[in-house]
Amino acid sequence: MELFYSSTRDKAEKVTASQAILQGLAQDGGLFVPSYIPALSVDMDVLKDMSYQETAYEVMSRFLTDFSEKELKDCIAAAYDEKFDTKEIAPLKKAGEAYYLELFHGATIAFKDMALSILPHLMTTAAKKNQASGEIVILTATSGDTGKAALAGFADVPGTRIIVFYPKNGVSPIQEKQMVTQKGANTYVVGIHGNFDDAQTGVKKLFGDRELNEELKEAGFRFSSANSINIGRLVPQIVYYVYAYAKLYGAGVLKKGESMNVVVPTGNFGNILAAYYAKEMGVPVGKLICASNENKVLYDFFRTGSYDRNREFVLTTSPSMDILISSNLERLIYKIAGADDVKDAAFMKELSEKGTYTITPQMKEKLADFYGNYASEEETAAEIARLYKEADYVIDTHTAVASAVYRKYRKETGDEHVTVIASTASPYKFARSVMDAIDEKYDAMDDFRLVDELSVLSKTAVPKAVEELRTAPVLHDTVVEKDEMKAIVKKILNF
């Protein structure tokens, strides 16, 4: 049975999975959602013995129904190969009271690799399927990790160009160097004077600019997105939650049907939404624990039912979560509103015009699966130090936010179910913050000396993605004001 997608703001128009991937964002500014969440319908006794690639096919084939078996398997094989430094792709490590799902073994050492390794293949396949004319221009805003992973995925992919906008002073030094040294004749990196929300809002405006899109079409281009607003990003993320459950069941950690809690450090809400979709597919996921940093807009939302971005934007040591407009939350709002596109559109209009909206009490009742909390900067640093001291395990700042929130959750609820924490980035990506948390003496060292010290401390090799940065030349140095994004896109595309 073919699964169709429609906009969260207008469910009348139905598109196929490949069309949704190609478009990225719906024309009305809404996000594409599946008409229903398909059942996984594969027994755990079968799933437990599957490789990551095999698990990916079982999950993704149920969502991307207009891709043939060969097309999808070819995309999966091209994505999950030697670019990852472990055959497991997403290994689980027990440390202390939880299992850490390491999602950082790909080319850019962050969880975005899990989806952005496959998105270029899905997109180019989708273009062929739909006889799409024109060069695809991937337009993306990043809070640090999406940018590099998207650039690496799309670099020199025929028929595509990629333009990444990032907040000039809002990412880590390693994150910035990863982006500005990116090779590829079709890659462009632009810093903006502003924060991630400014970059994300600017990109959404460009998507919604009908005049610009007409000009693009005439010039032989079409926009698409590599952000998690693209359903082609979200579906591959469901896979690793299914895989984690199956592996824990296979190892005897979970009994059949026993629930597993999931903790996700959350900014744009896509990664935890993927866990929610896995639960909706039938995976026995218990509590979905949403961990925020000091930009705790999601914590406040789960506590009060009001989403309010009218607050100070805080720059933290977990910059990929420094977000006040969580785009993917719209998909959940649409779901708990009973797939009411009119209601969803009204909430999003309120958010755009007033910066806030409040869901109904009936909708809030449907959020019972979620628990929200946050970790301060001090708590985040303390959690890195604690886990290193007690379990000899080094985590990055984002994973530390999740780990600290999980400890709060356990203390508050007494819930001791098996728990998986999404470990979203390698500690090498945030070496200074990680090493400072372990011991202040490291603060005097330069970035690459810190990396070497981290290697000794963690008993792990410096990842290739970081090693290459020592001598990589800067290839992208454009910085613009946030209101100049449209002009720089037109300049890059030369029209």
Side-chain angles (χ1 to χ4, degrees):
M1 181 178 170
E2 188 157 5
L3 181 61
F4 288 95
Y5 290 79
S6 57
S7 169
T8 48
R9 302 183 196 179
D10 180 7
K11 61 184 179 186
E13 187 183 349
K14 299 275 191 290
V15 299
T16 63
S18 63
Q19 289 167 338
I21 289 168
L22 262 185
Q23 278 184 239
L25 193 66
Q27 288 185 339
D28 56 19
L31 278 62
F32 285 115
V33 285
S35 50
Y36 63 92
I37 303 294
L40 185 57
S41 65
V42 184
D43 195 278
M44 277 297 160
D45 287 309
V46 177
L47 277 169
K48 71 179 174 63
D49 297 320
M50 285 188 179
S51 66
Y52 191 88
Q53 293 84 345
E54 290 166 335
T55 307
Y57 178 75
E58 291 300 332
V59 174
M60 293 173 66
S61 62
R62 283 158 172 76
F63 282 93
L64 310 180
T65 54
D66 67 326
F67 284 73
S68 70
E69 181 177 346
K70 183 181 187 307
E71 285 170 339
L72 191 49
K73 284 186 173 176
D74 284 350
C75 289
I76 289 166
Y80 305 112
D81 57 8
E82 67 282 348
K83 290 190 291 295
F84 289 80
D85 64 17
T86 168
K87 281 186 178 178
E88 293 168 287
I89 306 296
L92 284 153
K93 297 281 175 70
K94 177 87 188 301
E97 298 152 335
Y99 289 84
Y100 291 78
L101 179 61
E102 294 187 345
L103 302 172
F104 53 76
H105 288 275
T108 76
I109 58 175
F111 83 101
K112 307 294 173 74
D113 288 323
M114 302 300 293
L116 283 164
S117 293
I118 195 168
L119 183 61
H121 303 288
L122 294 175
M123 199 170 279
T124 50
T125 303
K128 285 176 197 163
K129 291 176 78 65
N130 290 279
Q131 291 88 45
S133 60
E135 200 169 357
I136 300 168
V137 179
I138 308 298
L139 207 57
T140 292
T142 185
S143 54
D145 289 335
T146 286
K148 174 59 182 178
L151 288 160
F154 281 94
D156 293 323
V157 170
T160 69
R161 295 197 203 185
I162 176 164
I163 304 171
V164 169
F165 290 97
Y166 75 98
K168 177 62 183 143
N169 297 307
V171 299
S172 80
I174 295 285
Q175 283 178 312
E176 182 172 44
K177 190 147 194 203
Q178 280 189 307
M179 287 188 281
V180 299
T181 58
Q182 176 66 48
K183 296 174 186 173
N186 65 336
T187 64
Y188 306 88
V189 179
V190 181
I192 67 157
H193 293 302
N195 57 42
F196 170 72
D197 287 333
D198 296 322
Q200 180 168 252
T201 300
V203 164
K204 283 184 175 178
K205 277 183 184 170
L206 293 175
F207 271 103
D209 187 327
R210 290 185 185 275
E211 186 184 323
L212 177 63
N213 279 270
E214 280 303 315
E215 290 180 63
L216 269 176
K217 196 175 175 183
E218 285 176 26
F221 299 110
R222 60 181 294 155
F223 278 152
S224 192
S225 175
N227 278 94
S228 55
I229 54 176
N230 193 317
I231 199 72
R233 269 280 304 274
L234 191 59
V235 169
Q237 291 179 272
I238 302 167
V239 175
Y240 45 75
Y241 295 111
V242 177
Y243 182 74
Y245 188 95
K247 291 306 166 196
L248 288 175
Y249 169 64
V253 176
L254 289 164
K255 297 189 181 80
K256 200 165 192 179
E258 184 183 354
S259 68
M260 165 188 90
N261 291 336
V262 173
V263 192
V264 187
T266 310
N268 226 359
F269 205 73
N271 203 8
I272 195 165
L273 184 68
Y276 174 74
Y277 278 12
K279 182 183 174 86
E280 291 284 294
M281 288 186 87
V283 178
V285 173
K287 212 70 171 176
L288 294 151
I289 300 165
C290 180
S292 300
N293 64 16
E294 288 184 4
N295 292 291
K296 54 190 178 70
V297 64
L298 286 166
Y299 162 64
D300 291 337
F301 169 72
F302 283 114
R303 192 167 50 88
T304 66
S306 292
Y307 192 96
D308 187 355
R309 65 173 171 84
N310 299 317
R311 62 183 70 203
E312 182 190 356
F313 185 95
V314 185
L315 288 172
T316 73
T317 54
S318 47
S320 298
M321 297 160 65
D322 290 348
I323 295 171
L324 294 180
I325 304 172
S326 303
S327 287
N328 271 286
L329 185 63
E330 181 172 351
R331 286 185 166 113
L332 182 65
I333 295 297
Y334 175 81
K335 182 91 166 51
I336 63 174
D340 188 332
D341 51 347
V342 175
K343 192 179 278 189
D344 176 82
F347 284 134
M348 295 309 122
K349 189 168 186 278
E350 272 192 83
L351 181 64
S352 175
E353 293 176 356
K354 300 176 186 172
T356 183
Y357 63 85
T358 301
I359 61 173
T360 66
Q362 293 82 0
M363 289 170 70
K364 192 169 186 295
E365 283 174 15
K366 294 178 183 175
L367 295 175
D369 289 339
F370 289 88
Y371 167 90
N373 213 321
Y374 75 101
S376 68
E377 286 287 87
E378 293 74 23
E379 288 168 333
T380 301
E383 186 63 8
I384 292 170
R386 183 195 72 81
L387 208 59
Y388 170 66
K389 183 180 176 185
E390 295 179 10
D392 197 26
Y393 187 62
V394 182
I395 55 174
D396 91 294
T397 46
H398 303 74
T399 308
V401 168
S403 195
V405 165
Y406 172 56
R407 283 165 60 76
K408 289 183 180 184
Y409 171 77
R410 268 180 69 116
K411 188 175 180 183
E412 196 177 304
T413 65
D415 183 353
E416 295 189 1
H417 276 94
V418 172
T419 297
V420 167
I421 294 174
S423 186
T424 54
S426 164
Y428 287 94
K429 206 152 192 173
F430 304 93
R432 182 164 301 282
S433 297
V434 169
M435 296 299 278
D436 279 356
I438 290 170
D439 196 318
E440 287 179 2
K441 72 180 182 184
Y442 295 113
D443 196 46
M445 296 181 186
D446 69 39
D447 287 331
F448 287 107
R449 173 83 192 281
L450 277 174
V451 161
D452 293 331
E453 289 291 327
L454 176 55
S455 177
V456 173
L457 217 64
S458 63
K459 305 178 187 70
T460 58
V462 176
K464 184 182 171 186
V466 174
E467 199 61 63
E468 288 173 342
L469 294 181
R470 292 183 197 267
T471 55
V474 171
L475 302 174
H476 308 273
D477 58 5
T478 303
V479 181
V480 300
E481 299 301 323
K482 60 187 178 184
D483 59 1
E484 296 174 331
M485 289 171 66
K486 180 176 177 176
I488 196 67
V489 166
K490 292 180 79 167
K491 184 179 177 183
I492 286 168
L493 300 178
N494 196 25
F495 75 89

